[in-house]
Amino acid sequence: MLSYQHIYHAGNLADVQKHALLAIVLEYLTRKDKPLTYLETHSGRGLYKLDAAEAVRTGEAEAGIRRVQQAKWFDADHPLEQAIRAVQKRHGAEAYPGSPLIAANLLRDQDSLHFAELHPQEHSALAMAMSSYGAKVYQQDGYELAQSLLPPTPRRGMMLIDPSYEVKSEYDRLPGIIGKLHRKWNVGVIALWYPILTDKRHSAMISALKSQDLPKTLCHEVRFDPVREGHRMVGSGMFIINAPYGLEDEMARLSTLFKSLRA
């Protein structure tokens, strides 16, 4: 399915959770002066403008990143805030980074970056957004790319799996896919983002992942009010394998902040 475009949802509350945890993991991994590999299976276009008609139409950024920045969820030293400021300095005050640009602005010249995006227009936009970062951008199925690159060089690093879940079978496929990827790259941090919908279709997927006895797993879920009437997404989650030390602290902090939105 190639209809999904994240511009309608960029900067929403699901992005806030996903990007905050991503930034914390990358900050931890870069504490060691050793190169790493970063890989994404579903990258999107990388750079978004929150004043674009699509973003304004849904109001998700207004209820998301704009709201939490006004509430000062992230101080100047938080790696997500650092990445956002770096992107805005380069692309203007209305710019918002997708996960590829967050990674590119937090990682170093010695690190290897690989981004897959199958959608033709999104891929073209991604290639342009990443052109000055030395990243490799592929118009390819992300799962196939991951299988072909693992185990990567350098061997330490992280993979973000962030599909659109347009096809219901995605939930059924992912536990098997992630199990295979972990077996090929048992030292890598593998992070899966997923939406929490009103029908709770994610539940069986998370149960299947937990049943695999994967190492050092953390599962973090937050809930939030639908951004508009009839909107089925009421939360989001991250399932992380080989989760780094200290990530639970950020998860607990985010949980408290998200609960405050519904108080």
Short mmCIF file of all heavy atoms in Angstrom, two decimals, residues 11-47:
data_model
loop_
_atom_site.label_atom_id
_atom_site.label_comp_id
_atom_site.label_asym_id
_atom_site.label_seq_id
_atom_site.Cartn_x
_atom_site.Cartn_y
_atom_site.Cartn_z
N GLY A 11 4.25 15.45 13.80
CA GLY A 11 4.24 16.24 15.02
C GLY A 11 3.07 15.95 15.94
O GLY A 11 2.85 16.68 16.92
N ASN A 12 2.32 14.87 15.67
CA ASN A 12 1.20 14.54 16.56
C ASN A 12 1.73 13.92 17.86
O ASN A 12 2.93 13.74 18.05
CB ASN A 12 0.17 13.65 15.85
CG ASN A 12 0.71 12.27 15.48
OD1 ASN A 12 1.82 11.89 15.87
ND2 ASN A 12 -0.07 11.53 14.73
N LEU A 13 0.82 13.57 18.76
CA LEU A 13 1.26 13.06 20.05
C LEU A 13 1.96 11.71 19.93
O LEU A 13 2.85 11.39 20.73
CB LEU A 13 0.06 12.95 21.00
CG LEU A 13 -0.45 14.29 21.54
CD1 LEU A 13 -1.75 14.12 22.31
CD2 LEU A 13 0.61 14.97 22.43
N ALA A 14 1.59 10.91 18.94
CA ALA A 14 2.32 9.65 18.71
C ALA A 14 3.76 9.93 18.31
O ALA A 14 4.69 9.25 18.77
CB ALA A 14 1.61 8.82 17.63
N ASP A 15 3.97 10.94 17.46
CA ASP A 15 5.33 11.34 17.10
C ASP A 15 6.11 11.81 18.33
O ASP A 15 7.30 11.54 18.46
CB ASP A 15 5.30 12.47 16.07
CG ASP A 15 5.41 11.98 14.64
OD1 ASP A 15 5.46 10.75 14.42
OD2 ASP A 15 5.45 12.83 13.73
N VAL A 16 5.45 12.55 19.21
CA VAL A 16 6.12 13.04 20.41
C VAL A 16 6.68 11.87 21.22
O VAL A 16 7.85 11.89 21.63
CB VAL A 16 5.15 13.87 21.27
CG1 VAL A 16 5.77 14.19 22.65
CG2 VAL A 16 4.80 15.18 20.56
N GLN A 17 5.86 10.85 21.45
CA GLN A 17 6.35 9.68 22.20
C GLN A 17 7.48 8.98 21.45
O GLN A 17 8.56 8.72 22.01
CB GLN A 17 5.22 8.69 22.44
CG GLN A 17 5.65 7.47 23.25
CD GLN A 17 5.05 6.17 22.74
OE1 GLN A 17 4.55 6.09 21.61
NE2 GLN A 17 5.07 5.14 23.58
N LYS A 18 7.23 8.67 20.19
CA LYS A 18 8.21 7.93 19.38
C LYS A 18 9.53 8.68 19.28
O LYS A 18 10.62 8.10 19.48
CB LYS A 18 7.63 7.70 17.99
CG LYS A 18 8.58 7.10 16.97
CD LYS A 18 7.87 6.82 15.67
CE LYS A 18 7.25 8.05 15.05
NZ LYS A 18 6.47 7.79 13.84
N HIS A 19 9.47 9.95 18.97
CA HIS A 19 10.69 10.72 18.74
C HIS A 19 11.45 11.00 20.03
O HIS A 19 12.69 11.05 20.04
CB HIS A 19 10.35 12.02 18.01
CG HIS A 19 9.89 11.79 16.61
ND1 HIS A 19 9.19 12.74 15.88
CD2 HIS A 19 10.03 10.72 15.78
CE1 HIS A 19 8.92 12.26 14.68
NE2 HIS A 19 9.42 11.04 14.60
N ALA A 20 10.74 11.17 21.13
CA ALA A 20 11.43 11.38 22.41
C ALA A 20 12.22 10.14 22.80
O ALA A 20 13.39 10.24 23.21
CB ALA A 20 10.42 11.73 23.50
N LEU A 21 11.61 8.96 22.67
CA LEU A 21 12.32 7.73 23.02
C LEU A 21 13.46 7.44 22.04
O LEU A 21 14.54 7.01 22.45
CB LEU A 21 11.33 6.56 23.07
CG LEU A 21 10.26 6.65 24.16
CD1 LEU A 21 9.34 5.45 24.09
CD2 LEU A 21 10.88 6.76 25.55
N LEU A 22 13.22 7.67 20.76
CA LEU A 22 14.28 7.50 19.76
C LEU A 22 15.49 8.38 20.11
O LEU A 22 16.64 7.92 20.08
CB LEU A 22 13.75 7.87 18.38
CG LEU A 22 14.79 8.01 17.26
CD1 LEU A 22 15.46 6.67 16.97
CD2 LEU A 22 14.14 8.57 15.99
N ALA A 23 15.23 9.64 20.42
CA ALA A 23 16.32 10.58 20.71
C ALA A 23 17.11 10.15 21.94
O ALA A 23 18.35 10.25 21.96
CB ALA A 23 15.76 11.99 20.89
N ILE A 24 16.42 9.65 22.95
CA ILE A 24 17.11 9.20 24.16
C ILE A 24 17.99 7.98 23.88
O ILE A 24 19.12 7.88 24.36
CB ILE A 24 16.09 8.89 25.27
CG1 ILE A 24 15.45 10.19 25.78
CG2 ILE A 24 16.75 8.13 26.42
CD1 ILE A 24 16.39 11.12 26.52
N VAL A 25 17.48 7.04 23.09
CA VAL A 25 18.28 5.85 22.74
C VAL A 25 19.54 6.27 21.97
O VAL A 25 20.65 5.80 22.25
CB VAL A 25 17.46 4.84 21.92
CG1 VAL A 25 18.35 3.71 21.41
CG2 VAL A 25 16.32 4.28 22.75
N LEU A 26 19.37 7.17 20.99
CA LEU A 26 20.53 7.58 20.20
C LEU A 26 21.54 8.35 21.05
O LEU A 26 22.76 8.20 20.87
CB LEU A 26 20.06 8.43 19.01
CG LEU A 26 19.24 7.67 17.96
CD1 LEU A 26 18.78 8.62 16.87
CD2 LEU A 26 20.04 6.52 17.36
N GLU A 27 21.04 9.17 21.96
CA GLU A 27 21.96 9.89 22.85
C GLU A 27 22.77 8.90 23.67
O GLU A 27 23.98 9.09 23.86
CB GLU A 27 21.15 10.83 23.76
CG GLU A 27 22.00 11.79 24.59
CD GLU A 27 22.50 11.18 25.89
OE1 GLU A 27 21.82 10.26 26.42
OE2 GLU A 27 23.57 11.59 26.38
N TYR A 28 22.13 7.84 24.14
CA TYR A 28 22.84 6.82 24.91
C TYR A 28 23.88 6.11 24.04
O TYR A 28 25.03 5.93 24.47
CB TYR A 28 21.84 5.81 25.46
CG TYR A 28 22.49 4.65 26.19
CD1 TYR A 28 22.79 4.75 27.54
CD2 TYR A 28 22.82 3.47 25.53
CE1 TYR A 28 23.40 3.70 28.22
CE2 TYR A 28 23.43 2.42 26.20
CZ TYR A 28 23.71 2.53 27.54
OH TYR A 28 24.33 1.49 28.19
N LEU A 29 23.51 5.72 22.83
CA LEU A 29 24.42 4.97 21.97
C LEU A 29 25.65 5.79 21.58
O LEU A 29 26.72 5.23 21.33
CB LEU A 29 23.69 4.50 20.72
CG LEU A 29 22.64 3.39 20.92
CD1 LEU A 29 21.90 3.12 19.62
CD2 LEU A 29 23.29 2.10 21.44
N THR A 30 25.50 7.10 21.48
CA THR A 30 26.63 7.94 21.06
C THR A 30 27.52 8.36 22.21
O THR A 30 28.48 9.10 22.00
CB THR A 30 26.12 9.19 20.32
OG1 THR A 30 25.17 9.89 21.15
CG2 THR A 30 25.46 8.82 19.01
N ARG A 31 27.23 7.90 23.41
CA ARG A 31 28.14 8.22 24.52
C ARG A 31 29.48 7.53 24.35
O ARG A 31 30.50 8.04 24.79
CB ARG A 31 27.50 7.79 25.85
CG ARG A 31 26.32 8.64 26.28
CD ARG A 31 25.72 8.12 27.58
NE ARG A 31 24.42 8.70 27.84
CZ ARG A 31 23.62 8.32 28.84
NH1 ARG A 31 24.02 7.36 29.66
NH2 ARG A 31 22.43 8.88 29.00
N LYS A 32 29.46 6.35 23.72
CA LYS A 32 30.72 5.65 23.44
C LYS A 32 31.31 6.16 22.13
O LYS A 32 30.58 6.36 21.16
CB LYS A 32 30.49 4.14 23.33
CG LYS A 32 30.23 3.44 24.65
CD LYS A 32 30.15 1.94 24.44
CE LYS A 32 29.93 1.21 25.77
NZ LYS A 32 29.85 -0.27 25.57
N ASP A 33 32.61 6.33 22.12
CA ASP A 33 33.28 6.81 20.91
C ASP A 33 33.54 5.64 19.97
O ASP A 33 34.67 5.36 19.58
CB ASP A 33 34.58 7.53 21.26
CG ASP A 33 35.19 8.21 20.05
OD1 ASP A 33 34.43 8.50 19.10
OD2 ASP A 33 36.42 8.45 20.05
N LYS A 34 32.46 4.94 19.63
CA LYS A 34 32.54 3.82 18.70
C LYS A 34 31.47 4.03 17.65
O LYS A 34 30.35 4.43 17.96
CB LYS A 34 32.31 2.49 19.42
CG LYS A 34 33.41 2.12 20.40
CD LYS A 34 33.13 0.76 21.03
CE LYS A 34 34.24 0.35 22.00
NZ LYS A 34 33.95 -0.97 22.63
N PRO A 35 31.77 3.76 16.38
CA PRO A 35 30.78 3.97 15.32
C PRO A 35 29.59 3.02 15.46
O PRO A 35 29.69 1.95 16.07
CB PRO A 35 31.56 3.68 14.03
CG PRO A 35 32.67 2.80 14.46
CD PRO A 35 33.04 3.21 15.85
N LEU A 36 28.47 3.42 14.89
CA LEU A 36 27.27 2.59 14.94
C LEU A 36 26.52 2.68 13.62
O LEU A 36 26.77 3.56 12.79
CB LEU A 36 26.38 2.99 16.11
CG LEU A 36 25.82 4.42 16.16
CD1 LEU A 36 24.51 4.56 15.40
CD2 LEU A 36 25.60 4.85 17.61
N THR A 37 25.58 1.77 13.45
CA THR A 37 24.70 1.74 12.28
C THR A 37 23.28 2.09 12.72
O THR A 37 22.80 1.57 13.73
CB THR A 37 24.69 0.35 11.63
OG1 THR A 37 26.00 0.07 11.11
CG2 THR A 37 23.68 0.29 10.48
N TYR A 38 22.64 2.96 11.95
CA TYR A 38 21.24 3.29 12.19
C TYR A 38 20.45 2.97 10.92
O TYR A 38 20.85 3.37 9.82
CB TYR A 38 21.08 4.76 12.56
CG TYR A 38 19.64 5.15 12.80
CD1 TYR A 38 19.00 4.80 13.98
CD2 TYR A 38 18.91 5.84 11.83
CE1 TYR A 38 17.67 5.13 14.19
CE2 TYR A 38 17.58 6.17 12.04
CZ TYR A 38 16.97 5.81 13.23
OH TYR A 38 15.65 6.14 13.43
N LEU A 39 19.33 2.28 11.09
CA LEU A 39 18.55 1.82 9.95
C LEU A 39 17.06 2.03 10.22
O LEU A 39 16.59 1.80 11.32
CB LEU A 39 18.84 0.33 9.71
CG LEU A 39 18.34 -0.34 8.44
CD1 LEU A 39 19.23 -1.52 8.12
CD2 LEU A 39 16.90 -0.83 8.59
N GLU A 40 16.34 2.50 9.19
CA GLU A 40 14.88 2.63 9.28
C GLU A 40 14.23 1.87 8.12
O GLU A 40 14.69 1.95 6.98
CB GLU A 40 14.45 4.09 9.22
CG GLU A 40 14.77 4.87 10.48
CD GLU A 40 14.06 6.21 10.52
OE1 GLU A 40 13.09 6.41 9.75
OE2 GLU A 40 14.45 7.05 11.33
N THR A 41 13.13 1.21 8.42
CA THR A 41 12.44 0.42 7.40
C THR A 41 11.32 1.20 6.70
O THR A 41 10.94 0.86 5.59
CB THR A 41 11.83 -0.84 8.02
OG1 THR A 41 10.92 -0.46 9.07
CG2 THR A 41 12.92 -1.74 8.60
N HIS A 42 10.78 2.23 7.35
CA HIS A 42 9.67 3.01 6.79
C HIS A 42 9.93 4.48 7.15
O HIS A 42 9.44 4.97 8.16
CB HIS A 42 8.33 2.56 7.37
CG HIS A 42 8.01 1.11 7.13
ND1 HIS A 42 8.60 0.09 7.85
CD2 HIS A 42 7.14 0.53 6.28
CE1 HIS A 42 8.12 -1.07 7.44
NE2 HIS A 42 7.23 -0.84 6.48
N SER A 43 10.68 5.17 6.31
CA SER A 43 11.26 6.44 6.73
C SER A 43 10.39 7.66 6.52
O SER A 43 10.59 8.69 7.17
CB SER A 43 12.60 6.65 6.00
OG SER A 43 13.49 5.61 6.31
N GLY A 44 9.44 7.62 5.57
CA GLY A 44 8.71 8.85 5.25
C GLY A 44 9.61 9.83 4.53
O GLY A 44 10.67 9.48 4.01
N ARG A 45 9.21 11.09 4.53
CA ARG A 45 9.98 12.09 3.78
C ARG A 45 11.07 12.77 4.60
O ARG A 45 11.88 13.52 4.06
CB ARG A 45 9.05 13.14 3.18
CG ARG A 45 8.32 14.02 4.17
CD ARG A 45 7.43 15.05 3.49
NE ARG A 45 6.33 14.42 2.76
CZ ARG A 45 5.36 15.12 2.14
NH1 ARG A 45 5.38 16.44 2.16
NH2 ARG A 45 4.39 14.48 1.53
N GLY A 46 11.08 12.55 5.92
CA GLY A 46 12.18 13.06 6.73
C GLY A 46 12.01 14.47 7.24
O GLY A 46 12.37 14.78 8.37
N LEU A 47 11.46 15.36 6.42
CA LEU A 47 11.30 16.77 6.78
C LEU A 47 9.87 17.19 6.50
O LEU A 47 9.34 16.95 5.41
CB LEU A 47 12.27 17.63 5.97
CG LEU A 47 12.14 19.15 6.14
CD1 LEU A 47 12.49 19.55 7.58
CD2 LEU A 47 13.04 19.88 5.15
#
